[in-house]
């Protein structure tokens, strides 16, 4: 199972991270530099009450009153990392945690291949974490130490994480400690608990396109025990037709703390349903911004997880972290599409001109109709896992040293089924089911199955062992080194009698890490590192890797040749600094360069058949670039800005099937230096927040994303998806000590742009000649405005010194 349940906070601490709040243990500060300048520290937080100061925040003590705090950046991690606070997430007023990453993390951009803004792809440095099966993944995501990428396709369902319950996010670049699939990096999601968050908060909001959103959270400590719970509900009609969303999520935590030991039992539940419009022909979008090409397209997800974590102080220098989890995930998808079934004139329907095997379905009931199909899938995954990690903070040879060693084991089993129903496409592109299943279709020459229902059982066994050390050679120089051994075993068992979706696969790789940080001055630091990561092919990819027998939308599996694992090698170096200007404010900044080369990268390759595809290793790919970011605060004004340049290219020559206008007989030639699709070379982010008074704040943000190549334009011979810029505004006013009203507007200038692009097959469209431009795009959400009220209750008064210690 792809949930290497690693004690993430402990790994960060071992690498020298400052400001990392381990949920299960409180460890001493490990900053390698001098004390953080006073202007860089978070302001004290006092909860509303009889003795609260006039400027106290109306929220519980876990939420600082400032709109934006300047983040200290001097630490001993030998790579670039981004921290996103709960306040950063709340400022977006979005139920989607990915939106907070998009606004705060320099190298992140969002894509919407599903057409639903609440189910986006998150792209970081050219690597993607997507909820869409069939998308090659490159980011590992952890929630309280449990890797939550789904087992069958390594997909990431962002909607399962309750945003209200998130204490912080840390986006970490390539590091082998984070197990499988952290090719581009890992995201550590730390959830709230009753020790750190106390009191209650109710939030209600609504706005454009039928958005209704409600959230309730409460935390309390009683002696050595503490509990926390958060409940969220979101309804959104969507700006495109058939894209309605309903989200219901719960997160709860019960904690116990005693004499250096801490145990937490946390539970996560979700039941969500999404309408997904997908891409539409650009000619259709220009006429109707909310139009859809084919529908229905829906996805239903149910999720439950129980996670037990513990941190134990064994000696003054040794601690033990451990966790164990059980997780259940169920997903059902319905997808209306064009079909390769057609009336071949012999009283039965046939399948594809190049492979006209009869479907044995009488053609008479469908005479004169435009045929389509409704594809359905069901994924049911149960997984369990455990991890142990020992941490030591004893000096070594008289020098400060942080050492950790640990192991994790994850086991999961998935039941996957898929089938198709013949349908009729109406003039509005709605596919109506006929009740007639599309059964098994054989190749008339070889007799092999070309298309048919699927019922497959997959088992994942993942084992990882790692050791990391950070050693202070001097009070200025810290050297980090370590490695992780990953072993993956994947088994496929066909549940259909006579089926051939069977296989046993295993992959092993040793991923090293070496890095250093050097404190040039107390406020200026240099860093550099080399790290490797690996990704084993998923069961979905292993079951769909034969170009002679492609799969429908990566959902219908056949027996295929094995794929090679992907290995990434990352070099990273840069500078980071911070300075307290006294009465003129405080500044923190960072600038770095990175270079990641993937060997045996896996790509989802379309076939000549409409809607079919397969997975293949395509050689090497390269992602390199520069990241810069700065935070500045002066008096009541806070500024955050970043710029990222990313050059993502193929490094080998190969051919692809494509619907691109430049294709020759459906084929394009990819050569070294061609850019990867959907990776913008330039992205700029700027935000400013102003505490106008002790009660009122306003803020504005700007996002620029450069031009991108369409998916299918890997030969780089066509026009790009245009660049876009958007602006947003937010404001809040504390009406009473515990009541705040707020509003946020997005896409303020109502720009019409696209956040995903591919091509459709003009020769196989349902209504020939309806469209003459092969470009197919996902339109972005127009101007939207939301507003709401936030009410805090039962919030204790906290002494400033205690709050400063907490942060």
């Amino acid at each position: 199972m792809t949930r290497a349940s690693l004690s993430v906070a402990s790994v960060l601490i071992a690498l020298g991270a400052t400001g990392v709040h381990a949920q299960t243990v409180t460890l001493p500060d490990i900053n390698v530099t001098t004390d953080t300048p006073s202007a860089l520290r978070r302001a004290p937080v006092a909860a509303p009450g009889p003795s609260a100061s006039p400027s106290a925040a109306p929220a519980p003590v876990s939420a600082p009153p400032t709109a934006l705090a300047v983040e200290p950046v001097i630490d001993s991690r030998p790579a670039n990392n981004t921290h996103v606070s709960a306040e950063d997430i709340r400022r977006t007023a979005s139920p989607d945690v990915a939106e907070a990453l998009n606004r705060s993390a320099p190298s992140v951009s969002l894509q919407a291949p599903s057409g639903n803004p609440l189910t986006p792809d998150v792209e970081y440095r050219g690597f993607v974490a997507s909820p869409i099966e069939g998308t090659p993944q490159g980011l590992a995501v952890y929630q309280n130490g449990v890797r939550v990428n789904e087992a069958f396709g390594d997909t990431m369902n962002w909607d399962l994480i309750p945003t209200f319950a998130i204490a912080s996010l840390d986006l970490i670049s390539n590091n082998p400690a984070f197990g499988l699939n952290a090719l581009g990096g890992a995201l550590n999601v730390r959830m709230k608990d009753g020790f750190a968050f106390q009191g209650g908060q109710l939030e209600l909001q609504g706005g454009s396109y039928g958005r209704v959103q409600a959230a309730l959270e409460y935390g309390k400590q009683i002696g050595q025990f503490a509990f926390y719970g958060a409940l969220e509900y979101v309804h959104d009609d969507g700006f495109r037709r058939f894209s309605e969303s309903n989200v219901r999520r719960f997160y709860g935590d019960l904690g116990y703390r005693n004499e250096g030991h801490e145990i937490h039992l946390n539970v996560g539940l979700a039941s969500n349903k999404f309408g997904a419009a997908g891409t539409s022909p650009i000619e259709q979008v220009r006429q109707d911004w909310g139009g859809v090409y084919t529908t229905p397209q829906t996805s239903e997800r149910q999720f439950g997880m129980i996670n037990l974590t513990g941190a134990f102080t064994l000696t003054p220098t040794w601690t033990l972290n451990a966790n164990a989890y059980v997780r259940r995930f169920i997903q059902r998808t319905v997808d209306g599409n064009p079909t390769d079934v057609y009336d071949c004139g012999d009283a039965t329907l046939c399948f594809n001109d190049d492979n006209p095997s009869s479907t044995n379905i009488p053609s008479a009931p469908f005479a004169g109709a435009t045929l389509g199909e409704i594809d359905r899938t069901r994924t049911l995954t149960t997984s369990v896992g455990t991890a142990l990690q020992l941490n030591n903070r004893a000096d070594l040879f008289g020098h400060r040293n942080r050492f950790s060693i640990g192991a994790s084991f994850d086991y999961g089993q998935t039941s996957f089924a898929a089938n198709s129903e013949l349908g009729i496409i109406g003039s509005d592109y709605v596919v109506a089911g006929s009740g007639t299943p599309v059964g098994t279709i054989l190749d008339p020459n070889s007799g092999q199955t070309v298309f048919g229902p699927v019922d497959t059982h997959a088992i994942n066994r993942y084992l990882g062992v790692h050791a990391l050390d950070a050693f202070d050679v001097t009070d200025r120089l810290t050297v980090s080194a370590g490695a992780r051994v990953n072993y993956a075993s994947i088994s496929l068992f066909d549940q259909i009698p006579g089926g051939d979706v069977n296989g046993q696969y295993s992959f092993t790789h040793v991923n090293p890490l070496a890095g250093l940080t050097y404190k040039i001055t107390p406020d200026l630091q240099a860093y550099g590192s080399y790290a490797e990561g690996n990704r084993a092919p998923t069961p979905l990819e292993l079951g769909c890797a034969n170009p002679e027998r492609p799969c429908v939308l990566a959902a219908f599996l056949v027996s295929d040749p094995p794929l090679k694992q992907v290995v990434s090698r990352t070099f990273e170096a840069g500078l980071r600094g911070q300075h307290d200007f006294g009465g003129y404010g405080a500044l923190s900044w960072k600038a770095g360069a990175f270079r990641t080369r993937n060997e045996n990268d896996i790509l989802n390759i379309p076939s000549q058949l409409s809607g079919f595809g397969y997975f293949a290793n395509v050689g090497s790919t390269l992602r390199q670039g520069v990241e810069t970011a700065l935070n500045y605060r002066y008096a009541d004004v806070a500024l955050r800005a970043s710029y990222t340049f990313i050059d993502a290219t193929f490094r080998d020559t190969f051919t692809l099937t494509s619907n691109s206008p430049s294709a020759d007989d459906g084929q394009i030639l990819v050569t070294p230096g061609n850019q990867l699709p959907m990776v913008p070379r330039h992205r700029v982010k700027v935000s400013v927040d102003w505490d106008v008074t002790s009660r009122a704040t306003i803020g504005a943000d700007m996002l620029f994303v450069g031009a991108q190549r369409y998916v299918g334009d890997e030969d780089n011979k066509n026009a790009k998806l245009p660049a876009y810029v958007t602006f947003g505004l937010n404001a809040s006013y504390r009406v009473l000590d515990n009541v705040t009203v707020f509003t946020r507007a997005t896409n303020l200038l109502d720009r019409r742009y696209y956040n995903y692009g591919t091509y459709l097959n003009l020769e196989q469209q349902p209504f020939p000649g309806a469209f003459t431009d092969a470009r197919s795009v996902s339109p972005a959400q127009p101007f939207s405005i939301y507003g709401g009220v936030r009410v805090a209750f039962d919030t204790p008064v906290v002494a400033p010194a205690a709050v400063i210690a907490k942060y």
Side-chain angles (χ1 to χ4, degrees), residues 610-666:
S610 176
F612 282 62
Y614 62 95
F615 296 93
N617 294 111
V618 295
S620 300
T621 58
L622 178 65
R623 297 157 177 87
Q624 58 187 353
V626 176
E627 293 176 340
T628 64
L630 66 85
N631 295 334
Y632 175 74
R633 186 172 188 92
Y634 175 72
D636 296 320
V637 178
L639 172 69
R640 173 184 290 168
S642 66
Y643 168 73
T644 303
F645 170 79
I646 297 179
D647 179 39
T649 57
F650 295 100
R651 308 311 300 171
D652 287 289
T653 300
F654 58 95
T655 59
L656 281 178
T657 301
S658 173
N659 294 319
S660 162
S662 65
D664 182 9
D665 195 23

Side-chain angles (χ1 to χ4, degrees), residues 163-357:
T163 56
F164 221 59
I166 296 175
S168 66
L169 305 170
D170 286 282
L171 185 58
I172 303 121
S173 58
N174 188 329
N175 189 312
F178 293 97
L180 287 170
N181 202 40
L183 300 177
L187 179 69
N188 177 30
V189 183
R190 188 178 69 90
M191 309 300 285
K192 296 176 182 176
D193 63 65
F195 291 119
F197 184 101
Q198 298 186 28
Q201 188 167 247
L202 172 66
E203 183 175 293
L204 302 172
Q205 66 168 295
S208 299
Y209 304 106
R211 171 76 60 83
V212 176
Q213 192 172 332
L216 174 67
E217 65 177 342
Y218 187 79
K220 190 174 183 65
Q221 181 176 353
I222 304 174
Q224 295 173 321
F225 292 89
F227 66 89
Y228 170 84
L231 186 66
E232 290 184 342
Y233 170 78
V234 181
H235 171 82
D236 195 295
D237 291 334
F239 74 97
R240 298 179 69 185
R241 282 184 286 281
F242 311 108
S243 61
E244 178 181 307
S245 301
N246 288 286
V247 176
R248 293 172 291 271
R249 301 183 289 220
F250 169 79
Y251 177 81
D253 180 273
L254 177 64
Y256 172 77
R257 177 185 290 171
N258 181 35
E259 297 181 351
H261 307 307
E262 191 168 327
I263 299 174
H264 286 264
L265 178 66
N266 48 73
V267 177
L269 301 170
S271 179
N272 305 334
K273 183 175 181 179
F274 299 95
T279 64
S280 294
I282 196 169
E283 294 168 284
Q284 180 189 31
V285 171
R286 286 171 175 171
Q287 296 175 6
D288 180 4
W289 198 255
V292 298
Y293 184 47
T294 55
T295 192
Q297 297 181 44
T298 62
S299 178
E300 296 182 61
R301 299 171 188 141
Q302 286 81 42
F303 152 80
M305 181 172 70
I306 299 175
N307 184 29
L308 179 65
T309 67
F312 309 95
T313 302
L314 306 180
T315 72
T317 58
W318 282 97
T319 60
L320 171 67
N321 290 77
N323 78 330
Y325 71 89
V326 178
R327 193 175 189 274
R328 180 85 159 180
F329 172 73
I330 303 173
Q331 177 172 271
R332 297 178 178 87
T333 67
V334 178
D335 191 7
N337 294 292
T339 185
D340 283 279
V341 176
Y342 70 103
D343 188 343
C344 51
D346 62 353
T348 61
L349 299 178
C350 294
F351 180 82
N352 188 263
D353 290 334
D354 297 329
N355 192 0
S357 175

Side-chain angles (χ1 to χ4, degrees), residues 76 78 469 478-482 513-517 527-530:
S76 57
D469 189 79
T478 299
V479 175
S480 301
L513 165 71
L516 58 84
T517 59
Y527 66 88
S529 64
Y530 170 78

Side-chain angles (χ1 to χ4, degrees), residues 438-460:
V438 180
T440 301
I441 299 173
L442 303 178
D443 185 304
N445 298 316
S446 65
Q448 292 185 328
T449 299
V450 179
F451 177 91
V454 170
D455 189 354
T456 300
H457 187 72
I459 295 178
N460 307 63

Side-chain angles (χ1 to χ4, degrees), residues 558-576:
V558 291
S559 179
D560 294 310
L563 295 169
K564 300 176 182 178
Q565 64 182 329
V566 185
V567 177
S568 67
R569 296 177 173 86
T570 299
F571 292 92
E572 189 165 358
L575 296 170
R576 49 195 174 212

